[in-house]
Amino acid sequence: MIQLSPRLAAVARHVPAGRPFADIGTDHAYLPVHLVQSGRVPRAVAGDLLPGPLQAARATVAAAGLADRIDVRLGSGLTVLAPGEAPCVAVCGMGGPLIARILAEGPLAGVERLVLQPMGGEAQLRRWLADNGWRLVAEEVVEDGGRLYPVLVAEPGRMGLTRMEEEVGPLLLRQGGPLVVRYVDEKLELARRALAGASRSDQPAAQERAAQLSELVELLARALRICAGDR
Ligand SMILES: C[S@@+](CC[C@H](N)C(=O)[O-])C[C@H]1O[C@@H](n2cnc3c(N)ncnc32)[C@H](O)[C@@H]1O
């Protein structure tokens, strides 16, 4: 059976058992192959925009002998799916803004759960979810090869988000714990470095950016105290 990295294993744990599944931006199709091999889902669609990854996905599916249960499709985002074909859709390993664009392009009719694993830019993704009728039902931070990755699970519903919740995640903020503290600390460090860079310029655009970053630094410092239990 295909062994998943800790990052993709965390994604797999949020896929409901017994129902069809779609992995959008599948690359090597490790996630859908693992889920079908393990018996967690009966069948899957593996979609990718590019012919190279699609070929890699076909090779993994063929080597696993699962071509009759995993359909590999070329195309952008969820456009490769028929309406209602997959109640759970994963979009992982891409930037948050790109994931949000893929979701906006749809179609999302019939999708009951999204499992998303953004590589940065998750504030924009959370904002898109809140603005478009999705609510977060689970969030976690997973460590893989020394790096931290957020996993976001959303279902149709309403969700209000403060700026801090947008940046850190409403559920992560409540959960706290050592990985969440590290996740917020890394964000804070990045924001501080960006602020130092922007502050060196006297261009009006850089000054405006510095003001935004200064607000972000202050917000993340407060979030860090909350996550560390130092409210
Ligand atoms: C870095 S890989 C991630 C692979 C896997 N999902 C993971 O998390 O390990 C990103 C994949 O998304 C695909 N991709 C990018 N934009 C896409 C889109 N609009 N629709 C479908 N796939 C896309 C790329 O071709 C690439 O194979």
Side-chain angles (χ1 to χ4, degrees):
M1 184 157 70
I2 292 243
Q3 292 305 311
L4 296 178
S5 63
R7 179 179 64 85
L8 286 179
V11 170
R13 285 196 292 276
H14 292 285
V15 174
R19 311 203 48 205
F21 164 74
D23 185 29
I24 300 301
T26 197
D27 199 355
H28 283 77
Y30 294 142
L31 180 61
V33 167
H34 172 88
L35 286 167
V36 173
Q37 275 181 331
S38 65
R40 190 170 179 96
V41 305
R43 59 182 186 279
V45 174
D48 206 287
L49 181 64
L50 299 175
L54 204 82
Q55 221 171 8
R58 284 221 168 88
T60 311
V61 170
L66 289 175
D68 56 335
R69 293 168 69 193
I70 301 179
D71 206 358
V72 180
R73 298 180 191 164
L74 181 68
S76 182
L78 283 78
T79 62
V80 298
L81 300 174
E85 188 177 16
C88 177
V89 174
V91 192
C92 302
M94 299 174 224
L98 175 56
I99 295 178
R101 275 207 301 282
I102 285 174
L103 297 177
E105 186 182 292
L108 283 163
V111 178
E112 296 167 18
R113 172 171 283 210
L114 294 168
V115 187
L116 311 171
Q117 194 287 293
M119 301 293 208
E122 50 269 31
Q124 283 128 293
L125 181 55
R126 290 192 189 98
R127 174 47 50 205
W128 187 91
L129 291 168
D131 289 347
N132 289 276
W134 293 85
R135 72 185 177 100
L136 287 161
V137 295
E139 282 185 295
E140 68 174 287
V141 174
V142 57
E143 182 173 17
D144 190 340
R147 279 192 63 182
L148 299 181
Y149 301 92
V151 177
L152 278 53
V153 185
E155 292 181 356
R158 288 163 65 86
M159 167 173 74
L161 284 181
T162 63
R163 265 292 288 137
M164 189 186 288
E165 288 171 336
E166 203 174 291
E167 286 295 335
V168 176
L171 307 179
L172 293 180
L173 202 52
R174 257 176 260 156
Q175 272 161 235
L179 280 184
V180 177
V181 167
R182 240 180 84 194
Y183 169 72
V184 180
D185 199 29
E186 285 181 8
K187 281 183 175 300
L188 177 58
E189 202 40 51
L190 272 179
R192 278 190 175 133
R193 264 188 251 143
L195 174 59
S199 303
R200 277 194 287 272
S201 165
D202 53 8
Q203 296 292 312
Q207 283 177 1
E208 197 180 312
R209 178 85 186 117
Q212 289 166 353
L213 285 165
S214 168
E215 226 174 274
L216 182 61
V217 165
E218 195 270 329
L219 178 146
L220 289 171
R222 259 192 300 131
L224 187 59
R225 288 196 293 275
I226 292 172
C227 293
D230 179 15
R231 285 153 207 261

